Amino acid sequence: MTDLTKTFANLLLHGDTTNAYKLVENLIFEGYTSLYVYENIVREALYYIGYLWEIDEISVADEHLATGTADFVLTKLDANLGQMLTNEQHERNSKQVMLFCIEGEEHYIGIKMAANVFKEHNWNVKYLGPNLPLEHAIHFANKMKPNVICFSVTVSHHLKQIPTYIKALENLDYKPQLMIGSRLIDKYQFSHFVSKDTIILSDLEELSHWIKERAKQRDRAKTFN
């Protein structure tokens, strides 16, 4: 972990929204991508904070304060980047994505960053946050019919719910592309929980690559039509 990431983690633990955002904003002005900020600053800082909780150096309240502060930073960054995209008059993508955490999963910063990545590629994003019961996910998917459904699992005891979610969502009549993201992918064999058609993402770099490849395929299809 870099000194900058540790500084950001300490700002989160102190609930210092002003300086936490300034740190991120300065990186963007210096030419770093939002993806770099998500992966190397926010994610790594939260992993460090989780480690501090595991060794009893901070409390659950401290961790919640840090998460809330990170949430504020991401929301403000998303709004400012969105304004930049509007000013540059980027073409709106017709594709829609629905993102959420499965029932009982309260660790939502990762899926929120994934939502931001989709937004920055001009997708129509429906971000539903943490702890979404399956029946509500199905109802929303049937109503909105997103092209992609992306959900997240962070805590290992929620893994047993994955096959139920996958099976139910794959049975939707219109057949969306399913994605699952988790920091647990390096520890568990996720292929045991999902079907061969589900895309498994270990980080936001992989997600960004998939979105870009999808855009290239769409552009090629337009060329030949």
Side-chain angles (χ1 to χ4, degrees):
M1 184 176 63
T2 66
D3 289 341
L4 191 62
T5 303
K6 194 168 185 177
T7 297
F8 184 72
N10 287 328
L11 292 170
L12 296 183
L13 287 167
H14 284 87
D16 190 342
T17 54
T18 300
N19 286 310
Y21 183 75
K22 281 182 180 178
L23 185 152
V24 165
E25 186 179 48
N26 287 339
L27 288 173
I28 298 296
F29 286 156
E30 290 170 12
Y32 289 92
T33 65
S34 57
L35 193 59
Y36 176 88
V37 170
Y38 300 148
E39 291 280 63
N40 297 285
I41 304 299
V42 180
R43 184 183 70 169
E44 292 303 313
L46 291 175
Y47 282 1
Y48 173 64
I49 289 166
Y51 166 74
L52 293 179
W53 175 79
E54 288 174 359
I55 62 174
D56 290 328
E57 286 201 13
I58 63 171
S59 69
V60 171
D62 293 321
E63 188 180 25
H64 285 195
L65 175 62
T67 299
T69 307
D71 190 343
F72 173 89
V73 170
L74 290 172
T75 299
K76 188 170 182 179
L77 180 62
D78 173 47
N80 289 340
L81 291 175
Q83 185 60 51
M84 290 169 60
L85 288 173
T86 300
N87 292 341
E88 294 172 10
Q89 296 183 327
H90 282 252
E91 180 184 357
R92 169 63 66 180
N93 194 318
S94 63
K95 300 298 183 181
Q96 183 179 125
V97 58
M98 163 185 169
L99 305 100
F100 62 92
C101 300
I102 66 173
E103 185 171 8
E105 183 59 74
E106 298 288 351
H107 296 79
Y108 64 91
I109 295 296
I111 199 73
K112 181 163 185 166
M113 291 192 291
N116 284 6
V117 171
F118 273 106
K119 285 181 184 178
E120 289 162 27
H121 287 279
N122 301 299
W123 280 60
N124 182 357
V125 172
K126 306 300 181 187
Y127 167 65
L128 306 182
N131 189 21
L132 186 67
L134 178 57
E135 62 268 28
H136 295 290
I138 292 170
H139 176 77
F140 190 87
N142 278 322
K143 179 175 69 172
M144 301 304 298
K145 292 184 168 47
N147 304 91
V148 174
I149 298 177
C150 180
F151 64 93
S152 172
V153 182
T154 301
V155 180
S156 60
H157 63 254
H158 294 313
L159 292 174
K160 61 182 181 294
Q161 297 185 69
I162 295 175
T164 304
Y165 272 75
I166 293 293
K167 183 177 180 180
L169 294 170
E170 284 187 336
N171 283 334
L172 292 170
D173 290 340
Y174 72 98
K175 304 303 178 188
Q177 173 64 63
L178 301 187
M179 290 182 169
I180 183 168
S182 178
R183 68 178 185 178
L184 300 173
I185 286 170
D186 292 336
K187 297 180 179 179
Y188 297 91
Q189 188 65 260
F190 266 61
S191 59
H192 294 163
F193 301 110
V194 304
S195 76
K196 60 180 177 59
D197 296 320
T198 304
I199 296 173
I200 302 172
L201 300 168
S202 61
D203 56 41
L204 297 175
E205 293 275 3
E206 290 184 3
L207 174 60
S208 180
H209 177 75
W210 182 87
I211 295 171
K212 289 175 182 177
E213 288 301 310
R214 175 100 176 209
K216 288 178 183 177
Q217 292 171 12
R218 185 182 69 246
D219 291 343
R220 284 196 292 268
K222 286 181 180 179
T223 301
F224 290 107
N225 286 337

